Amino acid sequence: MRADARRNVEGIRRAALDVFRTGGLTTPLDEVARAAGVSKGTIYHRFGSRTGLIDAVVDELVAARIHEIIDAVDALEGPLLRFEQYLLRTWLLQFDEPAANDVLIRSLPDSEPLTCLFDRACHFGTQLLTDAQAAGVVRADITPEDLNNLILERGVIVRACNQQTRADYHRRLDFTLRGLRTHR
Amino acid sequence: MRADARRNVEGIRRAALDVFRTGGLTTPLDEVARAAGVSKGTIYHRFGSRTGLIDAVVDELVAARIHEIIDAVDALEGPLLRFEQYLLRTWLLQFDEPAANDVLIRSLPDSEPLTCLFDRACHFGTQLLTDAQAAGVVRADITPEDLNNLILERGVIVRACNQQTRADYHRRLDFTLRGLRTHR
DNA sequence: TACGTTCTTGACCATGCAGTCAAGTACCGA
DNA sequence: TCGGTACTTGACTGCATGGTCAAGAACGTA
């Protein structure tokens, strides 16, 4: 690969990271091209498709964030705390990072590393749910699909041009969490 | 107005009711035109704009449904029951009638009758919330804006190509409702 | 029936996006 | 320095939408 081509590929990757970070993975590729100082054609030539470009950046962009959550929650004690913190942190990530949200709600043609990432998170959540239910602190009638749906819903909400402040968003998450606990 | 014109206006209105009922108020006007057996131009000539057409059908299409809810809830006793039934019925309406949902989430340039309809529902909800809070059965930290937001969120969710069955949707609404009640 | 007025048509413009490719440009080794 | 190959460009097609308007069709009255 020629020197200028290598430079361009790196430039596009960096531009994509930047643009996707703030705008999500569905941002028009023209914007990435403009940010990288190349033409759209170059992106397609180098990465094949939007999906190809996403694959090339998704790890650096999103994977770390999701693994952070899993690790942080894994360090906590108590089934209710673990379950609720997992949801809470995921929901906040969805608010803060449109790109992570796109992965979590699968708003894209499933690429391989993306699907893998999603499945890992999904599996972890299911385990937390099961544990919390076994301990009797979370409603027994919640299914793994419900959990999945709770994250999906939040993603859709965040996406639809959210005008609420982060503080309000955060405060309201507590309403939803309370509805999942068991009560006498 | 000529006889054929009057016939067309009626046909368009009926087609719009039909098409909007199933597809929501943002359905392409070409579809309405096709269903009415006229060209798109005729709709614009007769109703001025999409908003004009909506104004001409929104009452027959949506107003009745929303008033039904208000009346039904108003006949109930008990602040918690009233509050929860209002939310529940509204959320189900949003699932069942995309057009009503469009009104509730204000996904359109606000036309006058539409705004009026929305405000009425909003005001009624606020009253129910206040009553329920005064009775101590609903969390005191919920604001009227939160209530509004709960409906908005549900609307956005329903809109984003919902694959869940009505039964699942209904079942999951209970999670959210539970989160609004007071608990020791 | 004939003609002016009302009405309708559908091709047209504009916008915003994905994705492609022939033609032109830039690199780099000989 | 030169030439061939690698690379880039940006104009193009295609699609879906909202909305417009000159020209032709239909009505209904005289």
Side-chain angles (χ1 to χ4, degrees), chain B residues 86-149:
Chain B
Y86 172 71
L87 269 180
L88 194 64
R89 285 168 194 241
T90 303
W91 286 336
L92 287 174
L93 177 64
Q94 290 179 278
F95 187 94
D96 294 330
E97 301 261 347
N101 194 25
D102 288 334
V103 172
L104 289 168
I105 70 178
R106 294 164 158 287
S107 66
L108 309 133
D110 296 312
S111 73
E112 220 254 297
L114 229 122
T115 302
C116 174
L117 195 57
F118 179 84
D119 286 345
R120 167 126 37 144
C122 210
H123 185 264
F124 183 68
T126 301
Q127 189 56 54
L128 295 178
L129 173 65
T130 309
D131 294 347
Q133 287 176 325
V137 291
V138 157
R139 288 176 64 148
D141 59 349
I142 298 173
T143 68
E145 288 73 42
D146 290 340
L147 190 63
N148 208 28
N149 191 65

Side-chain angles (χ1 to χ4, degrees), chain B:
Chain B
M1 193 182 274
R2 238 163 60 182
D4 54 340
R6 225 174 307 125
R7 231 181 301 127
N8 274 336
V9 167
E10 216 8 72
I12 292 169
R13 255 184 49 85
R14 232 172 308 137
L17 281 170
D18 200 52
V19 170
F20 285 164
R21 177 90 62 194
T22 63
L25 300 177
T26 56
T27 312
L29 288 195
D30 304 68
E31 270 184 52
V32 178
R34 210 175 326 123
V38 302
S39 102
K40 193 173 40 159
T42 304
I43 297 183
Y44 280 99
H45 181 60
R46 286 296 155 208
F47 295 91
S49 64
R50 147 175 253 105
T51 307
L53 178 58
I54 290 174
D55 285 355
V57 298
V58 72
D59 252 65
E60 188 169 340
L61 194 55
V62 175
R65 300 316 190 96
I66 289 177
H67 288 143
E68 264 171 39
I69 291 179
I70 293 180
D71 292 345
V73 169
D74 226 16
L76 297 173
E77 295 290 338
L80 183 60
L81 183 66
R82 283 162 60 87
F83 176 74
E84 292 195 340
Q85 281 295 308
Y86 172 71
L87 269 180
L88 194 64
R89 285 168 194 241
T90 303
W91 286 336
L92 287 174
L93 177 64
Q94 290 179 278
F95 187 94
D96 294 330
E97 301 261 347
N101 194 25
D102 288 334
V103 172
L104 289 168
I105 70 178
R106 294 164 158 287
S107 66
L108 309 133
D110 296 312
S111 73
E112 220 254 297
L114 229 122
T115 302
C116 174
L117 195 57
F118 179 84
D119 286 345
R120 167 126 37 144
C122 210
H123 185 264
F124 183 68
T126 301
Q127 189 56 54
L128 295 178
L129 173 65
T130 309
D131 294 347
Q133 287 176 325
V137 291
V138 157
R139 288 176 64 148
D141 59 349
I142 298 173
T143 68
E145 288 73 42
D146 290 340
L147 190 63
N148 208 28
N149 191 65
L150 283 165
I151 292 169
L152 212 94
E153 286 183 350
R154 204 50 52 186
V156 169
I157 289 164
V158 163
R159 242 182 167 215
C161 73
N162 220 350
Q163 271 137 13
Q164 58 193 332
T165 63
R166 193 177 193 280
D168 271 335
Y169 175 81
H170 193 153
R171 185 172 57 80
R172 287 164 178 160
L173 292 180
D174 190 54
F175 300 157
T176 308
L177 278 185
R178 286 302 169 109
L180 307 179
R181 290 192 194 165
T182 49
H183 304 105
R184 273 136 304 165

Side-chain angles (χ1 to χ4, degrees), chain A residues 1-2 8 38-39 41-42 45-46:
Chain A
M1 192 183 274
R2 239 164 58 181
N8 274 336
V38 301
S39 103
T42 304
H45 180 61
R46 287 295 154 207

